[in-house]
Amino acid sequence: MNIYLLMFFIIWIGGWWLNVRISKFETFNLAKFIVPSLFGVVFLFMWELIVIGLTINPVLLPAPTAIASKFSSSLDILWIDFVQTLVKGALSGYILGCGSAFLTAIAIDKFNFLKRGLLPLGNFISALPIVGMAPIFVMWFGFDWQSKCAIVVVMVYFPMLVNSVQGLELIDPSRQDLMRTYNASYTQTLFKLRLPSALPFIFNGLKICSTLALIGAIVAEFFGSPIKGMGFRISSEVGRFALDMVWAEIFVAGMAGCLFYGVIALIERRTTFWHPSQQK
Amino acid sequence: MISVSDVSLTFETNDGPVNALKNVSLEVNEGDFVSFIGPSGCGKTTLLRVIAALEIPTEGRVTVNKMTPDEARKAREYGYVFQAAGLYPWRTVSGNIKLPLEIMGYSTSEKKDRTRKVIDLVELNGFEKKFPWQLSGGMQQRASIARALAFDANILLMDEPFGALDEIVRDRLNGELLNLWARTRKTICFVTHSIPEAVFLSTKIVVMSPRPGRITDIIESPLPKNRDLNIRDSQEFIKIAQRVREGLKAGHTEDVI
């Protein structure tokens, strides 16, 4: 038997056994940190060993070390792509889309007749296929990040709108009556009662949209882009069978997505600490 | 202070109109402690909400401090305590008490003074920085009363404020409420479905019955204004409680026929 494959099984079983032992110390805070990290490390080792042991074609699956070396040798390109796609395309679209959806939600809440017009329209737009919209937007807004931003706006608008509207609707009637007994104005009620109590829903929308924005910006680049950007890089490197670069871009996208989500979840914890879902 | 004359209120529902109130008339004088008692569906909460301008009667006239209820609401003539304490969970106890003061535009120093004063009044010292969900039900209700007292309205409207509390806590809060009433000289309207609570607290007991919601008896209590929990064993107390019970029963018999 191949020595690498033998090591593969040894590390697998060893890591398994170790994690089962450690996870018994549930009360021990460090264990909560060690168990998932050990899992990650063992997983990477197994990946590396199986690729070498079975001499897998790097086009099918490159080893983690190959991806890491490609990653560190192309930091400049990865950075340019990251800025182009995630900062310029995804983030601007995310802010624009979520922001306008939020404002629309407030307008719908204030003027009820808008609900019947705008919600179905939002629903319709969100049902449009991205592969159809992307080339159209490229023609409208050009090859650069602006057309990607537009795609992201279309993708995040509806989920954000629905969540915000629902949050503003679900108000405890006696809290609303309380504001009435104080003769509070519309804006006072909005800022002191309705927005704070809608926050858990608004954050749900923001979290769902954070991943949608990344996917939208990357996929949109498949339909026309300048010679930079993560989607452009992935499609062109696939054509050259340089899968290690594709994996490096995927790694960047994954890390950025986790970070993005994590930041929003952190702000959520800080601002909706009072909500039962945030309490242990 | 509060005058209700010949008020009726009909809700339109999918099962047809519901007479929540039918020809209700009532006078509340300054400094009174009035209880509305009756089974659920008798319109006691609706009557309180009519006085607070949270519901508009279909017929009849209501005046609060010689104004219409809506004018009185806009003039912030009353404080309202809801059945569920209804504190805002994202605000601390003192933040909740400051809420009406913020809306009414009090200065920072006045907000501070008034908050301290009402926290003393309901004996919540030491809990100012706690969040509502860190308090027991009784303490939440105290904070809610403090919030209603903060802007010093003359009238206090209370909708079953102690309904969800156990009897021991309720007895204690009843005693404290009487003290508070004696010290602040407010006019209080209090909705309840507990006979001992109504008799113990009130100078005037309004007995109501359902379908349609109406007043079956108004009892002027002969009990002295200064009372403690022991008064519940006195002959007079038992007699009033009996009369309340009979009023409630009378409402029910008619209902069955």
Side-chain angles (χ1 to χ4, degrees):
Chain A
M1 196 173 176
N2 188 319
I3 180 86
Y4 293 107
L5 281 185
L6 194 64
M7 279 167 71
F8 170 88
F9 285 112
I10 290 171
I11 287 186
W12 185 10
I13 290 161
W16 191 336
W17 177 80
L18 205 60
N19 251 358
V20 168
R21 293 295 301 262
I22 294 172
S23 58
K24 285 202 175 108
F25 303 97
E26 263 177 21
T27 46
F28 187 40
N29 238 342
L30 209 58
K32 280 180 200 148
F33 177 74
I34 292 175
V35 171
S37 359
L38 192 66
F39 177 82
V41 170
V42 167
F43 178 77
L44 284 176
F45 265 102
M46 285 163 61
W47 180 353
E48 182 81 29
L49 289 167
I50 198 107
V51 168
I52 300 171
L54 297 179
T55 54
I56 292 174
N57 185 336
V59 171
L60 287 181
L61 186 68
T65 46
I67 298 169
S69 74
K70 187 70 186 175
F71 179 84
S72 55
S73 67
S74 7
L75 279 177
D76 49 343
I77 297 177
L78 288 169
W79 175 250
I80 291 168
D81 291 349
F82 171 79
V83 170
Q84 170 72 13
T85 306
L86 296 187
V87 179
K88 285 184 183 164
L91 197 61
S92 66
Y94 180 78
I95 292 169
L96 213 62
C98 290
S100 54
F102 177 67
L103 293 179
T104 316
I106 288 177
I108 285 179
D109 172 66
K110 174 109 171 105
F111 309 104
N112 207 26
F113 66 91
L114 287 176
K115 192 172 179 176
R116 266 171 280 162
L118 284 178
L119 274 188
L121 185 70
N123 194 351
F124 174 75
I125 292 172
S126 79
L128 296 174
I130 180 175
V131 291
M133 294 308 290
I136 294 172
F137 281 177
V138 166
M139 281 184 248
W140 287 356
F141 302 108
F143 278 98
D144 211 351
W145 61 270
Q146 288 87 345
S147 57
K148 297 7 170 220
C149 169
I151 282 287
V152 173
V153 168
V154 167
M155 282 189 80
V156 302
Y157 184 79
F158 189 65
M160 185 66 194
L161 180 66
V162 169
N163 275 291
S164 308
V165 166
Q166 199 169 22
L168 288 169
E169 259 173 10
L170 278 180
I171 289 280
D172 180 40
S174 75
R175 286 184 188 155
Q176 186 96 323
D177 282 342
L178 184 73
M179 282 305 205
R180 247 182 90 71
T181 68
Y182 297 153
N183 193 27
S185 68
Y186 167 76
T187 33
Q188 282 173 329
T189 310
L190 184 69
F191 283 105
K192 290 191 192 296
L193 170 62
R194 318 206 53 197
L195 286 182
S197 64
L199 273 181
F201 286 84
I202 291 169
F203 273 105
N204 259 350
L206 287 174
K207 285 195 288 191
I208 294 165
C209 292
S210 72
T211 42
L212 281 179
L214 299 195
I215 296 167
I218 293 171
V219 171
E221 287 183 354
F222 278 64
F223 302 92
S225 69
I227 51 162
K228 57 184 176 181
M230 300 172 76
F232 161 78
R233 194 78 57 204
I234 289 172
S235 65
S236 62
E237 296 293 312
V238 165
R240 296 172 44 211
F241 289 110
L243 268 293
D244 47 355
M245 189 61 186
V246 174
W247 280 93
E249 293 280 4
I250 289 173
F251 176 72
V252 171
M255 293 305 284
C258 288
L259 196 72
F260 196 10
Y261 188 93
V263 167
I264 295 167
L266 199 71
I267 301 171
E268 181 185 25
R269 274 195 84 84
R270 287 280 161 83
T271 48
T272 63
F273 62 91
W274 48 270
H275 195 256
S277 69
Q278 297 293 335
Q279 284 160 20
K280 286 170 199 160
Chain B
M1 191 119 206
I2 300 170
S3 147
V4 179
S5 53
D6 225 14
V7 161
S8 299
L9 198 159
T10 311
F11 289 115
E12 293 299 333
T13 68
N14 290 335
D15 303 330
V18 172
N19 288 318
L21 293 172
K22 182 98 181 152
N23 301 334
V24 170
S25 295
L26 176 73
E27 290 293 327
V28 177
N29 300 317
E30 189 164 354
D32 270 357
F33 196 126
V34 181
S35 286
F36 303 141
I37 186 166
S40 47
C42 72
K44 54 195 193 296
T45 295
T46 311
L47 181 54
L48 201 70
R49 289 173 64 85
V50 165
I51 295 169
L54 294 173
E55 307 283 356
I56 299 157
T58 22
E59 276 172 59
R61 245 176 70 83
V62 181
T63 59
V64 177
N65 271 355
K66 301 191 182 70
M67 290 176 262
T68 67
D70 208 47
E71 283 163 358
R73 175 179 73 83
K74 286 180 178 145
R76 287 135 179 178
E77 292 285 334
Y78 66 83
Y80 201 108
V81 179
F82 290 87
Q83 189 170 10
L87 300 166
Y88 292 5
W90 52 88
R91 284 172 173 257
T92 59
V93 167
S94 65
N96 268 290
I97 294 170
K98 280 188 186 128
L99 176 75
L101 305 175
E102 281 170 24
I103 287 168
M104 297 172 193
Y106 285 85
S107 71
T108 312
S109 63
E110 185 136 13
K111 272 188 275 192
K112 228 171 163 179
D113 286 349
R114 282 172 178 263
T115 307
R116 192 171 339 111
K117 216 179 93 194
V118 290
I119 280 181
D120 278 346
L121 215 51
V122 299
E123 293 168 29
L124 270 180
N125 309 72
F127 295 95
E128 295 92 337
K129 296 262 183 304
K130 290 264 189 258
F131 285 94
W133 29 272
Q134 296 169 319
L135 302 179
S136 67
M139 290 219 259
Q140 287 183 23
Q141 212 43 275
R142 278 191 219 183
S144 162
I145 292 169
R147 182 176 61 179
L149 290 170
F151 51 100
D152 216 10
N154 289 323
I155 302 169
L156 199 54
L157 305 176
M158 307 178 88
D159 184 6
E160 290 191 45
F162 310 140
L165 305 177
D166 66 65
E167 203 161 335
I168 299 162
V169 177
R170 179 195 281 229
D171 279 351
R172 194 159 155 216
L173 287 178
N174 278 343
E176 285 176 17
L177 183 59
L178 274 187
N179 274 336
L180 204 140
W181 172 60
R183 280 204 281 170
T184 56
R185 314 267 53 167
K186 306 262 180 218
T187 308
I188 299 182
C189 296
F190 188 96
V191 169
T192 179
H193 52 228
S194 153
I195 296 172
E197 188 172 65
V199 179
F200 175 63
L201 291 172
S202 322
T203 56
K204 186 186 269 191
I205 303 159
V206 178
V207 185
M208 299 180 74
S209 56
R211 281 176 297 269
R214 65 200 186 279
I215 295 175
T216 47
D217 196 5
I218 295 179
I219 305 164
E220 299 282 348
S221 172
L223 299 176
K225 271 200 166 188
N226 288 325
R227 19 184 128 154
D228 56 39
L229 285 169
N230 293 330
I231 206 167
R232 292 189 297 186
D233 300 324
S234 72
Q235 271 308 313
E236 271 172 318
F237 187 98
I238 292 165
K239 249 162 76 188
I240 305 164
Q242 242 157 15
R243 194 172 147 192
V244 174
R245 204 168 290 122
E246 271 156 27
L248 292 172
K249 221 189 279 170
H252 263 291
T253 355
E254 286 168 38
D255 190 43
V256 173
I257 295 162

